[in-house]
Amino acid sequence: MKDTILSIDGIHIPVISLDTAIIGSGCAGFNAADWLYDLERKDIAVLTEGINMGTSRNTGSDKQTYYKLSLASDEADSVRQMASDLFSGGYVNGDNALAEAANSVRCFIKLANLKVPFPTNEYGEYAGYKTDHDPRQRATSAGPLTSKYMTECLERSVRQKGIRILNRYMAIKLLVWNNHIEGLICLNQNAINTSSMGITLVKARHVILATGGPAGCYLNSVYPRSQTGMSGIALEAGVKGANLDQWQYGLASTKFRWNVSGTYQQVLPRYISVDQDGYEREFLPDYFDDPFKALDMEFLKGYEWPFSIENIRTSSKIDMIVYYETVVLGRRVYMDFRNDPTCLKDGFHKLGQEAVTYLSNSLSLLPKPIERLKKMNPLAIDLYLTHGIDLSKEPLEISVCAQHHNGGLAVDSNWETNIKGLYAAGEAAGTFGVRRPGGSALNSAQVGSMRAAQHIAYTTKADIFNSEGFEITAASETKALINHIKYMVNNTDTAFSIIDKKNEIKKKMSLFAAHVRNREKFMALLKELQEIVDSFYINTKLTDMNKLPELLKTRDIFITQIAILSAMEKAAKTTGSIGSSLVLKNGGETLDRYLPDFTFEPFKPLSSNMILLTQKSGNHYQSEYVPVREIPCPDVWFENVWREYRHRMENLL
């Protein structure tokens, strides 16, 4: 069907008709489009705010991990075992865990065949290593830029197939009728200053949200500056959120946003802090009886990467010390790869055995962290060089940052939300739980987007539908949007104050609602946010239409923050400190010599494994715990599986 025009209040609004719209151009979005095409669903398009934006293309770590079933000869593994390990992290639905395990090899080999450079030995084995929360050596990597390579390879495949890509189209409203997706309103940023104001309707019977995590929520963030997420449009439309309180926080560089995990820690750089007067000191030894204990914890940080309450007395103590030095003392903290920590001046013999063995096996018992890093992972040095930072000549400023949303939109085993026809994949989907193995997010992005594509292809006909629901919702929602924009356009401009308010709110989120959570202050923030959103279109004025996309995105961030804070309040009252959240007790903070130790609420375990669901209720959001879906026990007897498979294929619509 050709694109058409819909006239609303005398304004001609373009209408794009599709079978499936995929929102997002990261490795989940491109993979969904690639699978749909191969499954004969070709009337599709990828919509993206910017083809080169997003987390997949712009983030990584020392050697960014892809987590999959073991594929090396000496590693015993099974689908069931991997599913159990994913499920045991807590707050994970068993059917999602089983699907991610069962399809991990299929999705991984597809990427390898698309020429993502995952390393093999001379016989073709994909050797693995152990990552955080990983009981086996399932991890592999193509280097610091694994997800970038994935995205580029998948994009190349999509372009070769001629799949339509609508660049600079920002989704701003989902159209829902009788709990079924009908399409969406988006803003064509190439046409903001035309008579349509860039407003474009997309008519689609299926929509896959691959918009990434809500990266715009925090000021202290390792997400690329181009990535903000767009979860608010789904939450506002009534999609349930899952575990919105659960995040991953960890140390990251701030001048250039990048995780300083793995090798960056294991080469044992010197940690220094600088006060307002420029006084510099090596500070980790101040918090330990034995300076070598500090280095052992620093080394362990490379394995036990994210901040975790479980590791508060071991590797996560490093995060808390950095937090204390930066937030409480107001100092700037750096990792110094130019010089050894003072206690190493006489050699490595007093280090813990694990650290010595690792460095020895890596042929890296060398003087200076930069030499050890050059030996073990030279690409980690080159990465910073390409962004104007020479680790051999300058220290690397760091902070504790938001890195990944372990929560997201609630989905079933096909990655479909509670709104029919609307799917979420990648970090936008809330399938990760509390303690996911490092790298499992990349596997989940590939499996989830594939499952969504398969469900669309196997359960619906390949056609473009005519729907009364689309006509009604498109007309009413577009008219409301036009009225909002007309009301905002004024000879007074408050856009700058709104953007300033956004940055102020993000700072408060980092201070009160990140890995250290102050209930009293983040509830005050929730109230402030609710008041801003309730009056957003009344108080927001602009003279320059080019500011419209950022203002609408800001509103989306505010809505997401409201839902997240609602979930955090429920979690703080119900479970206390859990996963990545240290919930302060009323009465403030204390400091002892060995740990910037805050008096925090202990973990209060739930009676069973649960998931925290959050959903819009009126103008607010409410959260409740529900039991997880257990790991299914499907029939794996070959003759039965084969018969049922043939039956499914023969009865496809």
Side-chain angles (χ1 to χ4, degrees), residues 256-398:
F256 163 58
R257 295 184 174 191
W258 203 256
N259 294 324
V260 285
S261 57
T263 322
Y264 289 118
Q265 301 296 327
Q266 290 161 334
V267 298
L268 305 177
R270 181 171 169 259
Y271 273 68
I272 57 176
S273 71
V274 180
D275 67 13
Q276 295 87 339
D277 298 322
Y279 173 73
E280 175 186 309
R281 88 184 203 282
E282 182 182 347
F283 63 89
L284 283 185
D286 295 350
Y287 298 97
F288 294 86
D289 275 338
D290 179 355
F292 284 96
K293 183 67 173 176
L295 293 189
D296 287 338
M297 292 303 102
E298 182 183 339
F299 176 84
L300 192 59
K301 183 72 185 160
Y303 284 126
E304 298 176 351
W305 171 239
F307 173 81
S308 170
I309 289 298
E310 292 181 349
N311 299 325
I312 192 69
R313 298 289 174 180
T314 56
S315 62
S316 291
K317 185 173 178 178
I318 303 295
D319 302 89
M320 290 305 299
I321 292 170
V322 171
Y323 176 86
Y324 186 76
E325 289 280 331
T326 54
V327 174
V328 179
L329 299 183
R331 299 168 68 94
R332 300 175 72 176
V333 168
Y334 301 82
M335 291 167 62
D336 181 9
F337 293 88
R338 304 164 301 172
N339 302 295
D340 270 330
T342 303
C343 64
L344 283 182
K345 67 181 186 297
D346 295 324
F348 299 91
H349 59 282
K350 291 186 180 180
L351 271 179
Q353 189 59 49
E354 184 177 13
V356 172
T357 300
Y358 184 90
L359 292 170
S360 177
N361 288 346
S362 302
L363 306 178
S364 299
L365 291 173
L366 302 170
K368 296 186 179 180
I370 191 66
E371 296 302 323
R372 297 190 283 274
L373 189 57
K374 188 181 298 183
K375 184 70 174 180
M376 286 199 287
N377 194 353
L379 294 178
I381 300 172
D382 295 343
L383 174 77
Y384 277 102
L385 277 173
T386 62
H387 292 85
I389 300 171
D390 189 341
L391 298 181
S392 69
K393 295 180 179 179
E394 61 181 296
L396 186 67
E397 186 167 8
I398 63 169

Side-chain angles (χ1 to χ4, degrees), residues 27-28 31-32 35 66-69 82 86 95-108 110-111 150 154 208 411-416 423-426 429 431-432 440-455:
C27 60
N31 191 54
W35 272 105
Y66 192 104
Y67 190 74
K68 47 95 186 92
L69 202 71
M82 182 174 170
L86 292 170
D95 49 6
N96 294 123
L98 183 58
E100 289 183 14
N103 292 285
S104 72
V105 172
R106 185 178 190 180
C107 289
F108 175 75
K110 174 185 174 178
L111 292 171
M150 290 165 56
L154 288 162
I208 301 176
V411 295
D412 65 11
S413 61
N414 296 303
W415 272 250
E416 189 175 23
Y423 301 79
T431 60
F432 305 107
S440 63
L442 293 183
N443 175 61
S444 181
Q446 297 305 285
V447 172
S449 52
M450 181 193 75
R451 294 278 293 181
Q454 289 175 329
H455 191 249

Side-chain angles (χ1 to χ4, degrees), residues 66-86 100-102 104-105 126 128-129 134-139 437 443:
Y66 192 104
Y67 190 74
K68 47 95 186 92
L69 202 71
S70 296
L71 293 174
S73 58
D74 61 347
E75 283 295 315
D77 205 351
S78 72
V79 167
R80 192 77 185 181
Q81 184 61 59
M82 182 174 170
S84 296
D85 291 336
L86 292 170
E100 289 183 14
S104 72
V105 172
Y126 290 96
Y129 58 89
D134 174 20
R136 298 170 188 270
Q137 294 185 344
R138 295 190 178 113
N443 175 61

Side-chain angles (χ1 to χ4, degrees), residues 173-193:
K173 185 78 176 180
L174 295 178
L175 301 177
V176 179
W177 176 258
N178 290 336
N179 203 48
H180 194 288
I181 194 71
E182 302 289 331
L184 63 137
I185 305 174
C186 58
L187 209 60
N188 177 359
Q189 297 178 75
N190 304 302
I192 291 292
N193 293 302

Side-chain angles (χ1 to χ4, degrees), residues 20-85:
T20 302
I22 302 108
I23 307 174
S25 55
C27 60
F30 279 133
N31 191 54
D34 197 60
W35 272 105
L36 280 166
Y37 188 94
D38 288 347
L39 292 166
E40 303 300 325
R41 305 305 283 262
K42 299 179 181 180
D43 203 347
I44 61 177
V46 174
L47 287 74
T48 175
E49 291 177 45
I51 197 73
N52 293 318
M53 296 166 64
T55 300
S56 297
R57 200 184 294 268
N58 296 288
T59 60
S61 57
D62 69 314
K63 53 179 188 290
Q64 192 181 22
T65 297
Y66 192 104
Y67 190 74
K68 47 95 186 92
L69 202 71
S70 296
L71 293 174
S73 58
D74 61 347
E75 283 295 315
D77 205 351
S78 72
V79 167
R80 192 77 185 181
Q81 184 61 59
M82 182 174 170
S84 296
D85 291 336

Side-chain angles (χ1 to χ4, degrees), residues 123 125 158 172 179 233 235 274 322 364 435 453 457 473 512 531 542 585:
Y123 300 102
E125 292 179 296
V158 164
I172 56 176
N179 203 48
I233 60 170
L235 294 165
V274 180
V322 171
S364 299
R435 294 181 303 278
T473 57
F512 311 135
E531 291 172 354
L542 72 157
K585 279 187 176 179

